[in-house]
Amino acid sequence: MTMDARKVYNGIVLLTGYLQRLYVFENILHQLNIPRDQDRFEKVKELFDDSLAMLPLFEQTKELTETQVKKLESVTAEVEKLMATYFKEGQISFNEKLAYVGSTLYSEQHVNLGILRLGKVFQVEVNKDFEMRVKFYEERTKFIDTIVSLMKKNQQVEEKAMEIIEMWYENVAKNKNNIMNDIRMIGQLIGF
């Protein structure tokens, strides 16, 4: 158990968090019948599955093979390209805002759970804030699921719920540059 292994694990968690973001975004677009690129969705799903599959083995060995490092480097490069077109310019519909908010919350939830898992795998203390955020993310992702379900069924969404999505979207939009900068940390953490 070295500090490097924890950094690598953190890098993989961050990478899979971005893949979670892309996957949920594409999935919400699909559920709400917003035109999307099916090939992009399939690519994201494949990259997500491949990257997630590395975590259990890494948890046991605390090492990556050279092939795995190259694969993660390749996946990270793909994620950078995919994220470069994640944010749409111009007018954004409410349904698209819902997709951005939902994908952000699911991504943040994934990373939060990954950091808690890191603490268990490496038997290190993790900041208590991460544990406290578990319920926070559960509640918010359930809220998103409910709104998506209502929209999918063409049912009325309460005005207050729509205002919450708008407010959360503004926060996502404000953090756009930070989101893109975080991707660059993945290679530093994993070591390529």
Side-chain angles (χ1 to χ4, degrees):
M1 176 180 74
T2 66
M3 189 61 177
D4 287 343
R6 286 187 290 219
K7 281 185 176 180
V8 170
Y9 194 88
N10 197 6
I12 297 170
V13 166
L14 190 56
L15 175 62
T16 56
Y18 275 99
L19 287 161
Q20 174 82 6
R21 176 187 295 266
L22 290 162
Y23 178 80
V24 171
F25 183 76
E26 295 292 328
N27 196 29
I28 291 174
L29 293 180
H30 174 70
Q31 288 185 61
L32 300 179
N33 294 316
I34 298 170
R36 68 179 174 96
D37 182 345
Q38 182 64 26
D39 291 340
R40 179 182 171 96
F41 177 74
E42 294 298 329
K43 178 181 215 132
V44 166
K45 184 172 177 2
E46 181 184 334
L47 294 171
F48 192 29
D49 291 344
D50 288 351
S51 300
L52 280 177
M54 286 187 204
L55 278 173
L57 182 60
F58 185 79
E59 287 178 5
Q60 292 174 8
T61 64
K62 315 264 188 312
E63 294 178 345
L64 290 174
T65 65
E66 194 175 313
T67 304
Q68 288 173 315
V69 172
K70 283 184 171 42
K71 175 69 175 173
L72 289 170
E73 186 174 12
S74 170
V75 171
T76 302
E78 287 295 321
V79 167
E80 280 192 60
K81 285 183 210 166
L82 290 163
M83 283 301 297
T85 57
Y86 170 74
F87 287 103
K88 179 180 163 187
E89 298 299 322
Q91 282 293 105
I92 311 281
S93 70
F94 176 80
N95 288 359
E96 289 168 320
K97 289 177 182 178
L98 181 59
Y100 283 116
V101 170
S103 63
T104 299
L105 287 169
Y106 269 98
S107 171
E108 290 173 358
Q109 179 184 47
H110 176 87
V111 171
N112 191 70
L113 292 172
I115 291 169
L116 288 171
R117 179 78 184 146
L118 178 147
K120 288 181 180 132
V121 169
F122 292 96
Q123 299 175 349
V124 293
E125 182 130 355
V126 174
N127 189 317
K128 297 282 182 225
D129 289 349
F130 290 101
E131 191 63 50
M132 292 168 51
R133 289 182 196 141
V134 170
K135 188 162 182 56
F136 170 86
Y137 286 121
E138 283 175 2
E139 290 170 354
R140 288 192 174 203
T141 54
K142 282 180 187 171
F143 178 76
I144 293 297
D145 292 345
T146 300
I147 303 298
V148 169
S149 178
L150 290 171
M151 299 296 290
K152 186 176 174 181
K153 296 174 188 170
N154 292 319
Q155 293 180 346
Q156 186 64 38
V157 176
E158 291 180 23
E159 187 68 34
K160 182 69 177 162
M162 293 179 82
E163 288 171 10
I164 290 169
I165 297 299
E166 291 285 346
M167 182 179 69
W168 290 351
Y169 172 75
E170 291 304 318
N171 193 39
V172 171
K174 274 190 248 176
N175 287 306
K176 182 172 154 179
N177 289 336
N178 294 340
I179 291 166
M180 298 308 288
N181 288 335
D182 277 354
I183 294 174
R184 294 177 189 98
M185 285 179 40
I186 296 168
Q188 294 168 2
L189 290 167
I190 297 174
F192 51 77

